[in-house]
Amino acid sequence: MSDTKFSVNSNHRWTIGDFPKVGIRPVIDGRRKGVRESLEGQTMNIARAAARLISSNLRYPDGGKVECVIADTTIGGVAEAAQCEEKFMAEGVGLSLTVTPCWCYGSETIDMDPLRPKAIWGFNGTERPGAVYLAAALAGHSQKGLPAFGIYGRHVQDAGDNTIPTDVEEKILRFVRAGIAVAYMLGKSYLSMGSVSMGIAGSIVNEEFFQEYLGMRNEYIDMSEFNRRINEEIYDKNELSRALEWTRKWCKEGKDTNDKPRYGEEKEKDWATVVKMTLIARDLIAGNPRLKEAGFGEEAMGHNAILAGFQGQRQWTDHMPNGDFMEAILCSSFDWNGIRPPHLLATENDSLNGVSMLLGYMLTNTTQMFSDIRTYWSPEAIERVSGHKPGGKAENGLIHLINSGASALDFSGRQEKDGQPVIKPFWEISSDDVKACLEATSWPAAVTEYFRGGGFSSQFDTRGGMPITISRINIVKGLGPVLQLSEGWTVELPEDTHHILTDRTDPTWPTTWFVPRLTGGDAFKDVYSVMANWGANHCASSFGHIGADLITLASMLRIPVNMHNIPFEKIYRPSAWNAYGMNLEGSDYRACEVYGPLYK
């Protein structure tokens, strides 16, 4: 095993269409014969500095550097604004950053596209009133109903200073990360594989939410399509052979806890079926040109999906192997084809948790984990059942994240950076990282009490010490979608304590012990309150503390945030939100209600 090399798969088919570019709009005082001429160089230099900052710090999900498009000229009035817009339309610009060191003509120079996320950086310098333009332009945006983000450095800079202060950098990058997510989702699909799983509300796919808030379309197939493609062999047979060989080598079976285990040919058939399901689901999501070569031109197209969900329970799993292998492998950053971007696939067709995964993925370029937010373990309960009194980050108790399905193998926490467990974007993952994740994962036979049709579930125990953010979108009648999130950490328990706790539920599933960061108030006064205030049975986990980015992204989509533990100084929303009251969270609700869905 140790000499096997896993390389980046350069032929991955994740990317659907081109990624949106960032438009940089250098605006200027239009008065010629001295004023404009004196500012041309400085204004363009600020635009170039912003473009360098963005391209050198941010990547698209395929690993490429984020591309910026700068207007051909500075923008002194409406004619040049229109010329800039023509260029942006031709170049595929999905979000815009306007920059200036000076006074400019407010409503004549602003970006008027109603769907494009937009921000304005007014240079803080005393020679010219960049802050005055910023305030005037933001007022124009608010008056016209076109929310924009304001960026203004805390400290005065000299006119010739082309450096970007740290506080300005943070806001520019936060805006761009969120804006790219908004722009890339537009026009893509959510693919529902099956229908409602066990009455779970999130798998009642809400088309108005996808279309009006995300700009996405909804695609549907019946799960019988899997049977058709299995029976008619609509998959790449060469890839299937390679996938089965890889699976036998790297996916070691775990303990079979069933009273009547499956053996021999029956189990081999289960393995072949779950691997075929994985190929079929990926082809349904993203298409596969190899199918056209085999005479299946329609099936080769896929559904233009950047996200999918598989119903599974119970209509499929009562008589066929479950979807756990398919979901876990597709959501991971590697398979038999090498290291690649994940294909996001939500367990139980929980589309709302799937969207939470998608938002986290677009902000981080790292794969996500789908889990039940299953149990709050108080320190007293842990000590009572195990004899162990938890300490450190777990001293106030912890939350058990566990689910049979889409737990990406990356979340075993076996990838490392500087000796610490991390989850990397696929282009940073090494062969050793892949091997460590695979070797930390076993595949116990599915518990037939749950899954009568058999199959296999991934089992790993997440390493402690990783910062993660859990999130969830819920839809509330009369209110619409709301986002909740919690930053925190993974923790480890002593091995005997861990097994005592996991054996009380299902030891064949992957376990992540999560501790939220407490604030002392409201839903974050203690760990129990976090669990008690969670709005559904599932959550999505992202590596890193990305709560501030999620809040910014939610404001772009006009989705209010009903629960978070982010310091108020990190909250960044459009400037118009300031007009809706002094309470940040109350103003978020009011602004989202007034503006309504982005694509209404």
Side-chain angles (χ1 to χ4, degrees), residues 420-436:
Q420 298 299 312
V422 298
I423 297 174
K424 301 176 181 178
F426 81 93
W427 59 86
E428 293 182 4
I429 294 175
S430 68
S431 285
D432 288 341
D433 291 328
V434 176
K435 293 173 194 172

Side-chain angles (χ1 to χ4, degrees), residues 8 12 14-15 19-20 54-67 173 176-182 184-185 306 330-334 339-344 356-369 408 410-411 415 422-429 541-546 549-550 553:
V8 172
H12 60 75
W14 189 91
T15 304
F19 287 108
I54 293 165
S55 294
S56 61
N57 283 276
L58 299 181
R59 301 255 193 138
Y60 293 123
D62 70 348
K65 292 184 177 182
V66 170
E67 295 183 50
L173 296 178
V176 173
R177 275 192 293 266
I180 286 173
V182 171
Y184 188 63
M185 288 188 291
I306 55 173
L330 288 179
C331 283
S332 298
S333 299
F334 45 83
I339 301 166
R340 48 130 180 96
H343 301 269
L344 299 180
S356 305
M357 294 168 70
L358 177 60
L359 300 186
Y361 179 64
M362 293 301 299
L363 291 171
T364 65
N365 294 328
T366 58
T367 193
Q368 309 290 292
M369 182 172 69
D410 308 55
F411 269 84
Q415 299 168 19
V422 298
I423 297 174
K424 301 176 181 178
F426 81 93
W427 59 86
E428 293 182 4
I429 294 175
S541 297
S542 301
F543 176 73
H545 286 163
I546 65 164
D549 287 343
L550 281 168
L553 175 52

Side-chain angles (χ1 to χ4, degrees), residues 163-416:
T163 61
I164 303 178
T166 302
D167 59 333
V168 172
E169 281 188 1
E170 182 179 8
K171 288 185 175 179
I172 289 175
L173 296 178
R174 179 158 293 146
F175 164 76
V176 173
R177 275 192 293 266
I180 286 173
V182 171
Y184 188 63
M185 288 188 291
L186 181 61
K188 307 305 188 298
S189 301
Y190 174 81
L191 175 60
S192 177
M193 300 173 175
S195 185
V196 180
S197 174
M198 302 182 295
I200 293 171
S203 63
I204 303 171
V205 178
N206 187 307
E207 286 205 350
E208 287 186 358
F209 167 66
F210 277 93
Q211 294 171 19
E212 295 185 1
Y213 284 88
L214 307 179
M216 293 174 61
R217 65 193 302 155
N218 297 89
E219 290 284 294
Y220 303 89
I221 63 155
D222 190 89
M223 288 185 294
S224 62
E225 177 66 4
F226 281 82
N227 268 329
R228 183 180 80 89
R229 294 196 184 204
I230 290 172
N231 294 336
E232 298 183 22
E233 298 185 339
I234 305 175
Y235 45 76
D236 184 338
K237 296 182 182 63
N238 290 330
E239 184 180 1
L240 174 63
S241 176
R242 188 169 68 251
L244 287 170
E245 181 181 358
W246 181 91
T247 300
R248 292 188 186 100
K249 179 175 183 177
W250 289 104
C251 298
K252 60 178 184 282
E253 286 189 22
K255 182 179 179 181
D256 192 329
T257 61
N258 293 297
D259 293 335
K260 295 181 179 179
R262 298 155 99 95
Y263 294 104
E265 186 176 324
E266 186 178 24
K267 184 167 279 189
E268 284 301 307
K269 183 180 179 182
D270 283 354
W271 274 115
T273 298
V274 299
V275 172
K276 290 174 185 176
M277 289 169 63
T278 307
L279 299 181
I280 290 166
R282 186 208 57 206
D283 293 348
L284 284 162
I285 292 168
N288 186 348
R290 294 293 179 90
L291 298 184
K292 184 176 182 180
E293 298 170 10
F296 300 103
E298 181 181 357
E299 291 85 349
M301 298 295 290
H303 287 265
N304 195 46
I306 55 173
L307 175 66
F310 181 70
Q311 176 189 341
Q313 299 187 75
R314 290 185 37 213
Q315 284 81 349
W316 179 267
T317 58
D318 275 6
H319 72 109
M320 291 290 287
N322 65 10
D324 290 13
F325 179 86
M326 167 184 69
E327 293 164 9
I329 291 296
L330 288 179
C331 283
S332 298
S333 299
F334 45 83
D335 61 16
W336 42 84
N337 290 319
I339 301 166
R340 48 130 180 96
H343 301 269
L344 299 180
L345 180 56
T347 301
E348 295 159 348
N349 199 28
D350 186 345
S351 61
L352 296 181
N353 213 58
V355 170
S356 305
M357 294 168 70
L358 177 60
L359 300 186
Y361 179 64
M362 293 301 299
L363 291 171
T364 65
N365 294 328
T366 58
T367 193
Q368 309 290 292
M369 182 172 69
F370 183 113
S371 302
D372 280 353
I373 184 161
R374 196 173 185 94
T375 309
Y376 163 66
W377 277 98
S378 68
E380 294 82 4
I382 294 172
E383 187 173 13
R384 178 179 62 81
V385 303
S386 72
H388 170 71
K389 184 176 182 179
K393 281 187 164 59
E395 66 179 353
N396 296 310
L398 42 77
I399 294 173
H400 194 182
L401 304 181
I402 181 172
N403 191 279
S404 66
S407 293
L409 274 55
D410 308 55
F411 269 84
S412 63
R414 266 58 181 190
Q415 299 168 19
E416 288 192 352

Side-chain angles (χ1 to χ4, degrees), residues 6 11 23 39 82 118-119 166 187 194 229 268 281 294 299 367 395 438 441 510 524 528 537 576 592:
F6 294 89
N11 294 316
L39 293 164
K118 48 188 70 67
T166 302
R229 294 196 184 204
E268 284 301 307
E299 291 85 349
T367 193
E395 66 179 353
L438 288 166
T441 305
F524 292 92
Y528 170 81
N537 54 312
C592 288

Side-chain angles (χ1 to χ4, degrees), residues 480-544:
V482 294
L483 172 69
Q484 56 184 166
L485 62 94
S486 171
E487 293 183 345
W489 299 268
T490 62
V491 297
E492 293 179 51
L493 295 174
E495 187 173 357
D496 56 345
T497 303
H498 167 84
H499 287 299
I500 289 170
L501 270 56
T502 55
D503 285 350
R504 292 172 69 99
T505 176
D506 193 323
T508 69
W509 295 349
T511 278
T512 303
W513 300 111
F514 172 70
V515 173
R517 184 177 64 245
L518 302 178
T519 64
D522 299 323
F524 292 92
K525 63 183 178 182
D526 52 36
V527 181
Y528 170 81
S529 297
V530 175
M531 178 77 179
N533 282 278
W534 205 252
N537 54 312
H538 293 148
C539 71
S541 297
S542 301
F543 176 73

Side-chain angles (χ1 to χ4, degrees), residues 26-44 72-81 83 101-103 105 109 128:
V27 298
I28 199 166
D29 190 326
R31 287 171 287 199
R32 296 185 185 270
K33 299 184 178 180
V35 176
R36 178 168 180 161
E37 290 82 354
S38 69
L39 293 164
E40 290 280 3
Q42 183 187 5
T43 304
M44 271 302 197
D72 290 333
T73 68
T74 55
I75 301 167
V78 67
E80 288 160 325
Q83 292 166 8
C102 60
W103 166 253
Y105 303 155
T109 57
R128 298 283 184 176

